[in-house]
Amino acid sequence: MSHPAGRWNIDPAGVSTVVGKTGDIAKGLQGQVTAYGTHLQSAAKDAGTISKGGSGDYGGKDGMGLVALALSNFAEATKGQLEFMAERSGKSLTGAVDATKDYLNGDLEMAAQAQSNALKDTTPPPVALPPAGGKK
């Protein structure tokens, strides 16, 4: 981080500790995302085939009922955000490490550029909602 005089005050050991702990959490996040997908699939399977009009044959994709179709659409709509979160985490950690390396090498201009690059593309992708009426 920059202080008022424009000088850098980075504690490399502190950065290393934070990056290590954050990396461990990010690895755990990958397991959570996998579990999220597994749980959604299980919920969709166990939701049965309750369907529009009380019939057991909704005609949705793969013969699934309304709840399963809604869960499938939700998973599809949020997939990009989950992928973005993982990618953003990795880029943030890499940016912190690169900026610290540049700092240690004495190149303040490169450190500022690495910090700026780590902040690019911070807008998550839009959520693609299914059209009204449940048909694609």
Side-chain angles (χ1 to χ4, degrees):
M1 303 295 140
S2 179
H3 81 38
R7 297 180 184 170
W8 289 77
N9 185 13
I10 297 174
D11 173 19
V15 171
S16 178
T17 299
V18 170
V19 166
K21 288 179 180 180
T22 306
D24 290 342
I25 292 168
K27 288 176 190 170
L29 181 61
Q30 183 172 350
Q32 294 295 325
V33 169
T34 300
Y36 166 81
T38 301
H39 292 311
L40 276 178
Q41 286 176 348
S42 177
K45 177 182 171 225
D46 293 340
T49 58
I50 298 173
S51 59
K52 191 191 286 188
S55 163
D57 183 18
Y58 170 62
K61 65 182 179 182
D62 298 328
M64 64 177 72
L66 293 174
V67 174
L69 182 60
L71 288 171
S72 174
N73 286 341
F74 175 77
E76 192 174 311
T78 58
K79 179 183 176 190
Q81 291 180 328
L82 289 171
E83 291 170 346
F84 172 82
M85 189 170 47
E87 183 179 336
R88 179 76 255 144
S89 298
K91 285 184 177 182
S92 294
L93 293 172
T94 299
V97 170
D98 289 348
T100 303
K101 284 180 184 177
D102 291 341
Y103 169 77
L104 291 173
N105 289 332
D107 193 337
L108 297 182
E109 184 177 335
M110 286 179 60
Q113 185 63 43
Q115 183 178 17
S116 175
N117 288 342
L119 297 175
K120 289 182 181 175
D121 300 321
T122 58
T123 304
V127 174
L129 298 175
K135 296 182 180 179
K136 287 191 174 187

Coordinates of all heavy atoms in Angstrom, one line a residue, residues 63-97:
G63 N -36.9 -35.2 -18.2 CA -38.1 -35.7 -17.5 C -38.1 -35.2 -16.1 O -38.8 -35.8 -15.2
M64 N -37.4 -34.2 -15.7 CA -37.4 -33.7 -14.3 C -38.6 -32.9 -14.0 O -39.2 -32.2 -14.9 CB -36.1 -33.0 -14.0 CG -35.8 -31.7 -14.8 SD -34.3 -30.8 -14.3 CE -33.1 -31.9 -15.0
G65 N -39.0 -32.8 -12.7 CA -40.1 -32.0 -12.3 C -39.7 -30.5 -12.2 O -38.6 -30.1 -12.5
L66 N -40.7 -29.7 -11.7 CA -40.5 -28.3 -11.6 C -39.4 -27.9 -10.7 O -38.6 -27.0 -11.0 CB -41.8 -27.6 -11.2 CG -42.9 -27.7 -12.2 CD1 -44.2 -27.1 -11.5 CD2 -42.6 -26.9 -13.4
V67 N -39.3 -28.5 -9.5 CA -38.2 -28.1 -8.5 C -36.9 -28.5 -9.1 O -35.9 -27.7 -9.0 CB -38.5 -28.8 -7.2 CG1 -37.3 -28.6 -6.2 CG2 -39.8 -28.4 -6.6
A68 N -36.7 -29.6 -9.7 CA -35.4 -30.0 -10.3 C -35.1 -29.1 -11.4 O -33.9 -28.7 -11.5 CB -35.5 -31.5 -10.8
L69 N -36.0 -28.7 -12.2 CA -35.8 -27.8 -13.3 C -35.3 -26.4 -12.8 O -34.4 -25.9 -13.3 CB -37.0 -27.7 -14.2 CG -36.9 -26.8 -15.4 CD1 -35.8 -27.3 -16.4 CD2 -38.2 -26.7 -16.2
A70 N -36.0 -26.0 -11.7 CA -35.6 -24.7 -11.1 C -34.2 -24.8 -10.6 O -33.4 -23.8 -10.8 CB -36.6 -24.3 -10.1
L71 N -33.8 -25.9 -9.9 CA -32.5 -26.0 -9.3 C -31.4 -26.1 -10.5 O -30.4 -25.5 -10.4 CB -32.4 -27.3 -8.5 CG -33.1 -27.2 -7.1 CD1 -33.1 -28.5 -6.5 CD2 -32.4 -26.2 -6.2
S72 N -31.8 -26.7 -11.5 CA -30.9 -26.8 -12.7 C -30.6 -25.4 -13.3 O -29.5 -25.1 -13.6 CB -31.5 -27.8 -13.7 OG -30.7 -27.8 -14.9
N73 N -31.7 -24.7 -13.5 CA -31.6 -23.3 -14.0 C -30.8 -22.4 -13.1 O -30.0 -21.6 -13.6 CB -33.0 -22.7 -14.3 CG -33.7 -23.3 -15.5 OD1 -33.0 -24.0 -16.3 ND2 -35.0 -23.2 -15.5
F74 N -31.0 -22.6 -11.8 CA -30.2 -21.8 -10.8 C -28.8 -22.1 -10.9 O -27.9 -21.2 -10.9 CB -30.8 -22.1 -9.4 CG -30.0 -21.4 -8.3 CD1 -30.1 -20.0 -8.1 CD2 -29.0 -22.1 -7.6 CE1 -29.3 -19.4 -7.1 CE2 -28.3 -21.5 -6.6 CZ -28.4 -20.1 -6.4
A75 N -28.4 -23.4 -11.0 CA -27.0 -23.8 -11.0 C -26.4 -23.3 -12.3 O -25.3 -22.8 -12.3 CB -26.9 -25.3 -11.0
E76 N -27.1 -23.3 -13.4 CA -26.6 -22.9 -14.7 C -26.4 -21.3 -14.6 O -25.4 -20.8 -15.1 CB -27.6 -23.2 -15.8 CG -27.0 -23.0 -17.2 CD -28.0 -23.6 -18.2 OE1 -28.5 -24.7 -18.1 OE2 -28.3 -22.8 -19.2
A77 N -27.3 -20.6 -14.0 CA -27.2 -19.2 -14.0 C -26.1 -18.7 -13.0 O -25.6 -17.6 -13.3 CB -28.6 -18.6 -13.5
T78 N -25.8 -19.4 -12.0 CA -24.7 -19.0 -11.1 C -23.4 -19.6 -11.3 O -22.4 -19.2 -10.7 CB -25.2 -19.3 -9.6 OG1 -25.4 -20.7 -9.5 CG2 -26.4 -18.6 -9.2
K79 N -23.3 -20.5 -12.3 CA -22.0 -21.1 -12.6 C -20.9 -20.1 -12.9 O -19.8 -20.2 -12.3 CB -22.1 -22.1 -13.8 CG -20.9 -22.8 -14.2 CD -21.1 -23.7 -15.4 CE -19.8 -24.3 -15.8 NZ -19.9 -24.9 -17.1
G80 N -21.2 -19.1 -13.7 CA -20.2 -18.1 -14.1 C -19.7 -17.4 -12.9 O -18.5 -17.0 -12.8
Q81 N -20.5 -17.1 -11.9 CA -20.1 -16.3 -10.7 C -19.2 -17.2 -9.8 O -18.3 -16.6 -9.3 CB -21.4 -15.9 -9.9 CG -22.1 -14.8 -10.7 CD -23.3 -14.3 -9.9 OE1 -24.0 -15.1 -9.2 NE2 -23.7 -13.1 -10.0
L82 N -19.5 -18.4 -9.7 CA -18.6 -19.3 -8.9 C -17.2 -19.4 -9.6 O -16.2 -19.4 -8.9 CB -19.3 -20.7 -8.8 CG -20.5 -20.7 -7.8 CD1 -21.1 -22.1 -7.9 CD2 -20.1 -20.4 -6.4
E83 N -17.2 -19.6 -10.9 CA -16.0 -19.7 -11.6 C -15.2 -18.4 -11.5 O -14.0 -18.4 -11.3 CB -16.2 -20.0 -13.1 CG -16.7 -21.4 -13.3 CD -17.2 -21.7 -14.7 OE1 -17.3 -20.7 -15.5 OE2 -17.4 -22.9 -15.0
F84 N -15.9 -17.2 -11.6 CA -15.3 -15.9 -11.4 C -14.6 -15.8 -10.1 O -13.5 -15.3 -9.9 CB -16.3 -14.8 -11.7 CG -15.8 -13.4 -11.4 CD1 -15.0 -12.8 -12.3 CD2 -16.0 -12.8 -10.1 CE1 -14.5 -11.5 -12.0 CE2 -15.5 -11.6 -9.9 CZ -14.8 -10.9 -10.8
M85 N -15.4 -16.2 -9.0 CA -14.9 -16.1 -7.7 C -13.6 -16.9 -7.5 O -12.6 -16.3 -6.9 CB -15.9 -16.7 -6.7 CG -15.6 -16.4 -5.2 SD -17.0 -16.8 -4.1 CE -17.5 -18.4 -4.6
A86 N -13.5 -18.0 -8.0 CA -12.2 -18.8 -7.9 C -11.1 -18.1 -8.7 O -10.0 -18.0 -8.3 CB -12.5 -20.2 -8.5
E87 N -11.4 -17.7 -9.9 CA -10.4 -17.0 -10.8 C -9.9 -15.7 -10.1 O -8.7 -15.4 -10.1 CB -11.0 -16.7 -12.2 CG -10.0 -16.1 -13.1 CD -10.6 -15.8 -14.5 OE1 -11.6 -16.5 -14.8 OE2 -10.1 -15.0 -15.2
R88 N -10.9 -14.9 -9.6 CA -10.5 -13.7 -8.9 C -9.6 -13.9 -7.7 O -8.7 -13.2 -7.5 CB -11.8 -13.0 -8.5 CG -11.6 -11.6 -7.8 CD -11.3 -10.5 -8.8 NE -9.9 -10.2 -8.6 CZ -9.1 -9.8 -9.6 NH1 -9.5 -9.7 -10.8 NH2 -7.9 -9.6 -9.4
S89 N -9.9 -15.0 -6.9 CA -9.1 -15.3 -5.8 C -7.7 -15.6 -6.2 O -6.7 -15.1 -5.6 CB -9.7 -16.5 -5.0 OG -11.0 -16.2 -4.5
G90 N -7.5 -16.4 -7.2 CA -6.2 -16.8 -7.7 C -5.4 -15.6 -8.2 O -4.3 -15.4 -7.9
K91 N -6.1 -14.7 -9.0 CA -5.5 -13.5 -9.5 C -5.1 -12.5 -8.4 O -4.0 -11.9 -8.4 CB -6.4 -12.8 -10.5 CG -6.4 -13.5 -11.8 CD -7.3 -12.7 -12.8 CE -7.3 -13.4 -14.2 NZ -8.1 -12.6 -15.2
S92 N -5.9 -12.4 -7.3 CA -5.6 -11.5 -6.2 C -4.4 -12.0 -5.5 O -3.5 -11.2 -5.1 CB -6.8 -11.5 -5.3 OG -7.9 -10.8 -5.9
L93 N -4.3 -13.3 -5.2 CA -3.1 -13.9 -4.5 C -1.9 -13.7 -5.4 O -0.8 -13.3 -4.9 CB -3.4 -15.4 -4.2 CG -4.4 -15.6 -3.2 CD1 -4.7 -17.1 -3.0 CD2 -4.1 -15.0 -1.8
T94 N -2.0 -14.0 -6.7 CA -0.8 -13.8 -7.6 C -0.4 -12.4 -7.6 O 0.8 -12.1 -7.6 CB -1.2 -14.3 -9.0 OG1 -1.5 -15.7 -8.9 CG2 0.0 -14.2 -9.9
G95 N -1.4 -11.5 -7.7 CA -1.0 -10.0 -7.7 C -0.3 -9.6 -6.4 O 0.7 -8.8 -6.5
A96 N -0.7 -10.1 -5.3 CA -0.1 -9.8 -4.0 C 1.4 -10.3 -4.0 O 2.3 -9.6 -3.6 CB -0.9 -10.3 -2.8
V97 N 1.6 -11.5 -4.4 CA 2.9 -12.1 -4.5 C 3.8 -11.4 -5.5 O 4.9 -11.0 -5.2 CB 2.8 -13.6 -4.8 CG1 4.2 -14.2 -5.1 CG2 2.2 -14.4 -3.7

